[in-house]
Amino acid sequence: MSKGKRRCRGILTVGAAVAGIYYVLAKFFYHIAFFRERKYPSAMAKEKVKQVTQSTERERREAEYANQNREWFRKAGFEEVRIRSFDGLGLRGRYLANPNPRRIVICVHGYRGSCEHDFCGLAQFYYENDCSLVMVDQRSHGLSEGNVISYGVLERYDVLSWARWTSDRISSELPIYITGISMGSSSVLMACNLPLPQNVHGIIADCGFTSPRDIIHCTGKRLVPIPVGPILWGMERMIRKRAGFSMDDCSTLETLKNNPYPILFIHGEEDTFVPTRMSRRNFAVCPSPKRLVIIAGAGHGASYVTNQSVYEREVLDFFRDYDGMGNGRYIP
Protein backbone atom coordinates (compact mmCIF):
# COMPACT_ATOMS: atom_id res chain seq x y z
CA MET A 1 0.00 0.00 0.00
CA SER A 2 1.38 3.38 -0.96
CA LYS A 3 2.19 6.04 1.63
CA GLY A 4 -0.62 8.26 0.34
CA LYS A 5 -3.20 5.51 0.72
CA ARG A 6 -2.03 4.76 4.25
CA ARG A 7 -2.32 8.42 5.15
CA CYS A 8 -5.80 8.63 3.64
CA ARG A 9 -6.90 5.52 5.51
CA GLY A 10 -5.47 6.93 8.73
CA ILE A 11 -7.39 10.19 8.28
CA LEU A 12 -10.60 8.29 7.58
CA THR A 13 -10.08 6.11 10.63
CA VAL A 14 -9.49 9.09 12.90
CA GLY A 15 -12.47 10.90 11.39
CA ALA A 16 -14.71 7.90 11.95
CA ALA A 17 -13.49 7.60 15.53
CA VAL A 18 -14.18 11.28 16.23
CA ALA A 19 -17.62 11.02 14.62
CA GLY A 20 -18.35 7.95 16.72
CA ILE A 21 -17.34 9.73 19.92
CA TYR A 22 -19.58 12.67 19.09
CA TYR A 23 -22.49 10.35 18.29
CA VAL A 24 -22.14 8.56 21.63
CA LEU A 25 -21.96 11.88 23.47
CA ALA A 26 -24.96 13.26 21.58
CA LYS A 27 -27.02 10.18 22.42
CA PHE A 28 -25.90 10.27 26.05
CA PHE A 29 -26.80 13.95 26.58
CA TYR A 30 -29.98 13.59 24.56
CA HIS A 31 -31.27 11.10 27.11
CA ILE A 32 -29.84 12.94 30.10
CA ALA A 33 -31.29 16.31 29.08
CA PHE A 34 -34.71 15.60 27.59
CA PHE A 35 -36.20 12.58 29.31
CA ARG A 36 -37.92 12.20 32.62
CA GLU A 37 -36.28 8.84 33.25
CA ARG A 38 -32.62 9.03 32.39
CA LYS A 39 -31.45 6.08 30.31
CA TYR A 40 -27.91 6.34 31.71
CA PRO A 41 -28.37 6.96 35.44
CA SER A 42 -24.76 6.15 36.28
CA ALA A 43 -23.23 7.48 39.46
CA MET A 44 -20.67 9.42 37.41
CA ALA A 45 -23.34 11.16 35.32
CA LYS A 46 -25.43 12.05 38.36
CA GLU A 47 -22.43 13.42 40.19
CA LYS A 48 -21.33 15.47 37.18
CA VAL A 49 -24.74 17.07 36.76
CA LYS A 50 -24.84 17.75 40.49
CA GLN A 51 -21.47 19.49 40.29
CA VAL A 52 -22.75 21.79 37.55
CA THR A 53 -26.07 22.70 39.15
CA GLN A 54 -25.17 22.72 42.84
CA SER A 55 -21.45 23.06 43.23
CA THR A 56 -20.82 25.39 46.16
CA GLU A 57 -21.30 25.32 49.89
CA ARG A 58 -23.68 28.28 49.58
CA GLU A 59 -25.92 26.33 47.20
CA ARG A 60 -25.92 23.34 49.54
CA ARG A 61 -27.11 25.61 52.34
CA GLU A 62 -29.86 26.88 50.04
CA ALA A 63 -30.98 23.28 49.45
CA GLU A 64 -31.16 22.74 53.20
CA TYR A 65 -33.32 25.88 53.50
CA ALA A 66 -35.65 24.43 50.87
CA ASN A 67 -36.01 21.20 52.84
CA GLN A 68 -36.89 23.12 56.01
CA ASN A 69 -39.60 25.12 54.23
CA ARG A 70 -41.37 22.05 52.87
CA GLU A 71 -43.08 21.82 56.24
CA TRP A 72 -45.22 24.84 55.35
CA PHE A 73 -46.41 23.09 52.18
CA ARG A 74 -47.40 20.02 54.15
CA LYS A 75 -49.48 22.02 56.64
CA ALA A 76 -51.01 24.60 54.28
CA GLY A 77 -53.97 22.49 53.14
CA PHE A 78 -53.53 22.49 49.37
CA GLU A 79 -56.29 20.94 47.26
CA GLU A 80 -55.16 18.65 44.43
CA VAL A 81 -56.33 19.77 40.98
CA ARG A 82 -56.05 18.16 37.54
CA ILE A 83 -56.26 19.34 33.96
CA ARG A 84 -55.65 17.80 30.53
CA SER A 85 -52.86 19.19 28.34
CA PHE A 86 -53.33 20.16 24.69
CA ASP A 87 -51.73 16.87 23.67
CA GLY A 88 -53.61 14.64 26.09
CA LEU A 89 -51.36 14.42 29.14
CA GLY A 90 -52.83 14.46 32.63
CA LEU A 91 -51.35 17.44 34.46
CA ARG A 92 -51.49 17.80 38.22
CA GLY A 93 -51.29 20.79 40.48
CA ARG A 94 -52.39 22.11 43.86
CA TYR A 95 -54.62 25.01 44.78
CA LEU A 96 -54.61 26.97 48.03
CA ALA A 97 -57.45 29.45 48.48
CA ASN A 98 -56.63 32.59 50.44
CA PRO A 99 -59.45 33.66 52.80
CA ASN A 100 -59.10 37.28 51.66
CA PRO A 101 -57.66 37.10 48.16
CA ARG A 102 -56.60 40.17 46.24
CA ARG A 103 -54.94 38.21 43.43
CA ILE A 104 -54.02 34.70 42.25
CA VAL A 105 -50.44 33.60 41.62
CA ILE A 106 -49.68 30.64 39.35
CA CYS A 107 -46.27 29.16 40.25
CA VAL A 108 -44.25 27.17 37.69
CA HIS A 109 -41.15 25.31 38.90
CA GLY A 110 -37.90 24.68 37.04
CA TYR A 111 -36.05 21.85 35.34
CA ARG A 112 -36.27 18.60 37.32
CA GLY A 113 -37.59 20.70 40.20
CA SER A 114 -40.76 21.04 42.26
CA CYS A 115 -42.77 23.87 43.73
CA GLU A 116 -41.79 22.76 47.25
CA HIS A 117 -38.15 23.29 46.40
CA ASP A 118 -38.19 26.17 43.93
CA PHE A 119 -40.78 28.27 45.78
CA CYS A 120 -39.61 27.48 49.29
CA GLY A 121 -40.45 30.43 51.52
CA LEU A 122 -41.68 32.37 48.51
CA ALA A 123 -45.02 30.55 48.32
CA GLN A 124 -45.67 31.36 51.97
CA PHE A 125 -44.80 35.01 51.31
CA TYR A 126 -47.32 35.15 48.46
CA TYR A 127 -50.02 33.54 50.57
CA GLU A 128 -49.42 35.86 53.52
CA ASN A 129 -49.79 38.82 51.16
CA ASP A 130 -53.33 38.05 50.02
CA CYS A 131 -52.58 35.67 47.14
CA SER A 132 -54.39 32.45 46.36
CA LEU A 133 -51.92 29.95 44.93
CA VAL A 134 -51.92 27.52 42.02
CA MET A 135 -48.77 25.39 42.19
CA VAL A 136 -48.29 23.25 39.10
CA ASP A 137 -46.28 20.13 38.37
CA GLN A 138 -44.83 20.68 34.91
CA ARG A 139 -45.24 17.87 32.38
CA SER A 140 -42.79 15.03 33.01
CA HIS A 141 -42.35 16.20 36.61
CA GLY A 142 -43.93 15.26 39.90
CA LEU A 143 -47.41 13.76 39.54
CA SER A 144 -47.97 15.07 36.01
CA GLU A 145 -47.78 12.68 33.08
CA GLY A 146 -45.23 12.79 30.30
CA ASN A 147 -41.76 11.53 29.56
CA VAL A 148 -40.21 14.37 27.55
CA ILE A 149 -38.90 17.69 28.89
CA SER A 150 -38.88 20.34 26.15
CA TYR A 151 -37.47 23.38 27.98
CA GLY A 152 -40.60 25.48 27.45
CA VAL A 153 -41.38 24.56 23.84
CA LEU A 154 -44.37 22.39 24.84
CA GLU A 155 -44.66 23.58 28.44
CA ARG A 156 -45.76 27.06 27.30
CA TYR A 157 -49.08 25.56 26.17
CA ASP A 158 -49.47 23.98 29.61
CA VAL A 159 -49.00 27.45 31.14
CA LEU A 160 -51.83 28.64 28.90
CA SER A 161 -54.03 25.73 30.04
CA TRP A 162 -53.36 26.43 33.72
CA ALA A 163 -54.09 30.15 33.27
CA ARG A 164 -57.39 29.37 31.57
CA TRP A 165 -58.31 26.85 34.26
CA THR A 166 -57.51 29.42 36.95
CA SER A 167 -59.63 32.11 35.31
CA ASP A 168 -62.54 29.74 34.58
CA ARG A 169 -62.60 27.77 37.83
CA ILE A 170 -61.28 30.16 40.48
CA SER A 171 -61.95 33.73 39.37
CA SER A 172 -62.26 35.71 36.16
CA GLU A 173 -62.19 38.96 38.16
CA LEU A 174 -59.16 38.71 40.43
CA PRO A 175 -55.81 39.67 38.87
CA ILE A 176 -53.72 36.66 37.87
CA TYR A 177 -49.92 36.78 37.98
CA ILE A 178 -47.85 33.96 36.49
CA THR A 179 -44.43 33.37 37.98
CA GLY A 180 -41.73 30.89 37.07
CA ILE A 181 -38.24 29.98 38.21
CA SER A 182 -35.51 28.78 35.82
CA MET A 183 -37.16 26.60 33.14
CA GLY A 184 -40.50 27.57 34.66
CA SER A 185 -39.64 31.20 34.01
CA SER A 186 -38.80 30.47 30.38
CA SER A 187 -42.00 28.43 29.97
CA VAL A 188 -44.01 31.42 31.22
CA LEU A 189 -42.15 33.90 29.03
CA MET A 190 -42.66 31.68 25.98
CA ALA A 191 -46.40 31.71 26.74
CA CYS A 192 -46.66 35.50 26.91
CA ASN A 193 -47.87 35.90 23.30
CA LEU A 194 -50.46 33.11 23.57
CA PRO A 195 -54.15 33.98 24.19
CA LEU A 196 -53.99 34.13 27.99
CA PRO A 197 -57.11 35.13 29.95
CA GLN A 198 -58.02 38.80 30.17
CA ASN A 199 -57.39 38.93 33.91
CA VAL A 200 -53.70 38.03 33.62
CA HIS A 201 -52.04 41.20 34.88
CA GLY A 202 -48.34 40.39 34.84
CA ILE A 203 -45.43 37.96 34.84
CA ILE A 204 -42.63 37.46 37.36
CA ALA A 205 -39.68 35.78 35.62
CA ASP A 206 -36.94 34.53 37.92
CA CYS A 207 -33.66 33.41 36.28
CA GLY A 208 -35.12 32.31 32.96
CA PHE A 209 -33.02 31.29 29.95
CA THR A 210 -33.42 32.55 26.39
CA SER A 211 -33.92 29.28 24.48
CA PRO A 212 -33.45 25.52 24.82
CA ARG A 213 -30.44 25.64 22.53
CA ASP A 214 -28.80 28.46 24.50
CA ILE A 215 -29.08 26.79 27.88
CA ILE A 216 -28.04 23.34 26.62
CA HIS A 217 -25.06 24.90 24.84
CA CYS A 218 -24.01 26.70 28.04
CA THR A 219 -24.37 23.56 30.12
CA GLY A 220 -22.54 21.45 27.54
CA LYS A 221 -19.53 23.77 27.57
CA ARG A 222 -19.16 23.17 31.29
CA LEU A 223 -19.65 19.42 31.08
CA VAL A 224 -17.32 18.43 28.25
CA PRO A 225 -13.85 19.74 27.32
CA ILE A 226 -14.46 19.56 23.55
CA PRO A 227 -16.48 21.70 21.12
CA VAL A 228 -20.18 21.13 21.80
CA GLY A 229 -21.52 22.22 18.40
CA PRO A 230 -21.42 18.73 16.87
CA ILE A 231 -23.05 17.28 20.00
CA LEU A 232 -25.94 19.75 19.71
CA TRP A 233 -26.22 18.95 16.00
CA GLY A 234 -26.65 15.27 16.81
CA MET A 235 -29.02 15.95 19.70
CA GLU A 236 -31.20 18.14 17.49
CA ARG A 237 -31.70 15.38 14.95
CA MET A 238 -32.55 12.87 17.65
CA ILE A 239 -35.04 15.28 19.23
CA ARG A 240 -36.80 15.97 15.93
CA LYS A 241 -37.04 12.28 15.05
CA ARG A 242 -37.91 10.79 18.43
CA ALA A 243 -39.50 13.57 20.51
CA GLY A 244 -41.26 15.58 17.81
CA PHE A 245 -39.95 19.07 18.49
CA SER A 246 -36.86 21.19 17.94
CA MET A 247 -34.62 23.19 20.25
CA ASP A 248 -35.27 26.08 17.88
CA ASP A 249 -39.09 25.90 17.89
CA CYS A 250 -39.40 28.71 20.42
CA SER A 251 -37.31 31.27 22.29
CA THR A 252 -38.12 33.97 24.80
CA LEU A 253 -36.33 36.51 22.62
CA GLU A 254 -38.95 35.98 19.90
CA THR A 255 -42.08 35.71 22.05
CA LEU A 256 -41.17 38.74 24.15
CA LYS A 257 -41.10 40.98 21.10
CA ASN A 258 -44.92 40.85 21.11
CA ASN A 259 -45.44 40.59 24.85
CA PRO A 260 -48.44 42.60 26.12
CA TYR A 261 -47.86 42.10 29.87
CA PRO A 262 -45.79 43.92 32.50
CA ILE A 263 -42.83 41.78 33.55
CA LEU A 264 -40.67 41.76 36.65
CA PHE A 265 -37.36 40.09 35.72
CA ILE A 266 -35.27 38.77 38.64
CA HIS A 267 -31.88 37.07 38.43
CA GLY A 268 -29.04 36.16 40.78
CA GLU A 269 -25.79 37.96 40.03
CA GLU A 270 -23.73 34.81 40.69
CA ASP A 271 -25.89 32.38 38.73
CA THR A 272 -23.51 29.91 37.07
CA PHE A 273 -26.21 27.67 35.61
CA VAL A 274 -28.38 30.18 33.72
CA PRO A 275 -26.10 33.16 33.07
CA THR A 276 -27.45 36.51 34.24
CA ARG A 277 -26.93 37.87 30.74
CA MET A 278 -29.90 35.81 29.57
CA SER A 279 -32.32 37.83 31.71
CA ARG A 280 -30.61 41.00 30.51
CA ARG A 281 -31.27 39.93 26.91
CA ASN A 282 -34.88 39.07 27.70
CA PHE A 283 -35.31 42.44 29.38
CA ALA A 284 -33.80 44.29 26.43
CA VAL A 285 -36.26 42.94 23.83
CA CYS A 286 -39.39 43.30 25.98
CA PRO A 287 -41.53 46.28 24.82
CA SER A 288 -44.01 46.36 27.73
CA PRO A 289 -43.54 47.91 31.20
CA LYS A 290 -40.68 46.05 32.83
CA ARG A 291 -38.13 46.02 35.62
CA LEU A 292 -34.92 44.04 35.99
CA VAL A 293 -33.69 43.23 39.50
CA ILE A 294 -30.25 41.65 39.92
CA ILE A 295 -29.74 40.12 43.36
CA ALA A 296 -26.12 40.41 44.51
CA GLY A 297 -24.57 37.20 45.80
CA ALA A 298 -27.43 34.96 44.62
CA GLY A 299 -26.85 31.72 42.76
CA HIS A 300 -29.27 29.91 40.48
CA GLY A 301 -32.87 30.06 41.69
CA ALA A 302 -31.73 31.46 45.03
CA SER A 303 -32.57 35.16 44.77
CA TYR A 304 -35.35 34.97 47.36
CA VAL A 305 -33.27 32.95 49.81
CA THR A 306 -30.33 35.33 49.39
CA ASN A 307 -32.14 38.64 49.83
CA GLN A 308 -35.74 38.24 50.93
CA SER A 309 -36.29 41.91 51.74
CA VAL A 310 -35.37 43.15 48.25
CA TYR A 311 -37.29 40.35 46.53
CA GLU A 312 -40.42 40.96 48.60
CA ARG A 313 -40.28 44.74 48.13
CA GLU A 314 -39.99 44.42 44.36
CA VAL A 315 -42.84 41.90 44.12
CA LEU A 316 -45.18 43.94 46.33
CA ASP A 317 -44.39 47.09 44.32
CA PHE A 318 -45.16 45.13 41.15
CA PHE A 319 -48.52 44.03 42.56
CA ARG A 320 -49.40 47.57 43.62
CA ASP A 321 -48.53 48.93 40.20
CA TYR A 322 -50.58 46.43 38.19
CA ASP A 323 -53.38 45.02 40.38
CA GLY A 324 -55.78 47.66 39.10
CA MET A 325 -54.69 47.64 35.48
CA GLY A 326 -58.06 46.78 33.95
CA ASN A 327 -57.86 43.81 31.58
CA GLY A 328 -54.16 43.33 32.27
CA ARG A 329 -52.85 43.97 28.78
CA TYR A 330 -50.42 46.69 27.90
CA ILE A 331 -51.06 48.34 24.55
CA PRO A 332 -47.84 49.96 23.23
Side-chain angles (χ1 to χ4, degrees):
M1 183 184 295
S2 68
K3 184 177 181 180
K5 288 184 177 180
R6 286 198 301 270
R7 180 179 298 175
C8 182
R9 177 173 291 183
I11 293 172
L12 291 174
T13 301
V14 171
V18 170
I21 291 171
Y22 270 111
Y23 173 80
V24 170
L25 288 173
K27 188 174 181 180
F28 174 81
F29 286 111
Y30 162 72
H31 284 280
I32 289 291
F34 290 99
F35 285 88
R36 180 180 198 143
E37 301 297 334
R38 295 187 174 115
K39 186 175 180 180
Y40 307 107
S42 69
M44 182 183 70
K46 287 184 177 179
E47 183 62 27
K48 189 65 175 178
V49 172
K50 182 179 178 182
Q51 289 172 7
V52 171
T53 60
Q54 189 177 311
S55 58
T56 68
E57 182 62 32
R58 181 197 66 224
E59 288 166 326
R60 283 189 285 273
R61 289 197 301 269
E62 290 161 0
E64 292 173 3
Y65 174 87
N67 288 330
Q68 294 168 5
N69 278 271
R70 292 177 192 219
E71 186 66 22
W72 180 84
F73 279 88
R74 287 192 288 268
K75 294 180 178 180
F78 281 91
E79 169 193 351
E80 183 180 298
V81 294
R82 306 183 183 197
I83 66 172
R84 186 67 57 180
S85 72
F86 75 98
D87 54 353
L89 297 178
L91 303 180
R92 304 276 281 272
R94 284 166 293 171
Y95 168 57
L96 181 62
N98 192 291
N100 299 293
R102 298 179 61 185
R103 62 192 71 87
I104 306 166
V105 177
I106 301 172
C107 299
V108 187
H109 65 76
Y111 178 77
R112 300 197 186 279
S114 68
C115 284
E116 290 94 335
H117 180 275
D118 293 357
F119 289 92
C120 64
L122 189 53
Q124 183 176 356
F125 158 72
Y126 284 133
Y127 182 75
E128 292 175 351
N129 283 274
D130 308 316
C131 302
S132 292
L133 297 175
V134 177
M135 318 290 288
V136 310
D137 284 356
Q138 293 223 62
R139 62 173 54 216
S140 305
H141 291 79
L143 297 177
S144 289
E145 294 177 352
N147 190 42
V148 175
I149 302 169
S150 69
Y151 294 76
V153 172
L154 301 177
E155 290 84 356
R156 58 184 163 146
Y157 298 110
D158 300 336
V159 171
L160 173 62
S161 296
W162 280 113
R164 288 176 170 173
W165 179 90
T166 300
S167 183
D168 293 342
R169 299 288 294 275
I170 300 176
S171 175
S172 60
E173 301 296 329
L174 286 173
I176 294 174
Y177 294 88
I178 312 177
T179 179
I181 292 179
S182 190
M183 190 187 84
S185 174
S186 297
S187 299
V188 173
L189 292 176
M190 290 181 190
C192 70
N193 64 353
L194 298 177
L196 296 169
Q198 290 293 311
N199 56 323
V200 171
H201 279 215
I203 292 169
I204 302 172
D206 187 334
C207 63
F209 51 78
T210 48
S211 74
R213 180 176 293 276
D214 288 346
I215 189 60
I216 292 171
H217 184 267
C218 284
T219 304
K221 286 197 300 184
R222 292 193 297 272
L223 285 171
V224 295
I226 58 177
V228 298
I231 298 176
L232 265 66
W233 183 88
M235 290 173 68
E236 172 66 17
R237 275 138 190 83
M238 294 177 190
I239 295 163
R240 285 182 180 273
K241 181 178 179 180
R242 304 178 190 179
F245 70 94
S246 166
M247 287 188 284
D248 301 317
D249 279 347
C250 193
S251 80
T252 59
L253 299 177
E254 289 302 315
T255 58
L256 280 168
K257 291 177 181 178
N258 298 307
N259 165 59
Y261 302 102
I263 299 183
L264 174 61
F265 294 94
I266 301 174
H267 213 119
E269 187 176 43
E270 296 185 19
D271 192 337
T272 59
F273 188 58
V274 177
T276 309
R277 67 175 182 272
M278 291 193 178
S279 277
R280 295 187 188 277
R281 293 180 68 195
N282 286 332
F283 177 80
V285 301
C286 178
S288 64
K290 58 189 177 181
R291 178 165 174 75
L292 174 62
V293 179
I294 304 298
I295 303 295
H300 184 62
S303 291
Y304 182 72
V305 177
T306 302
N307 197 329
Q308 294 181 19
S309 61
V310 170
Y311 203 115
E312 291 177 357
R313 183 190 69 224
E314 294 292 342
V315 167
L316 292 177
D317 286 348
F318 189 68
F319 288 158
R320 279 190 290 269
D321 287 343
Y322 300 109
D323 272 353
M325 199 179 60
N327 67 4
R329 291 176 180 266
Y330 165 75
I331 305 299

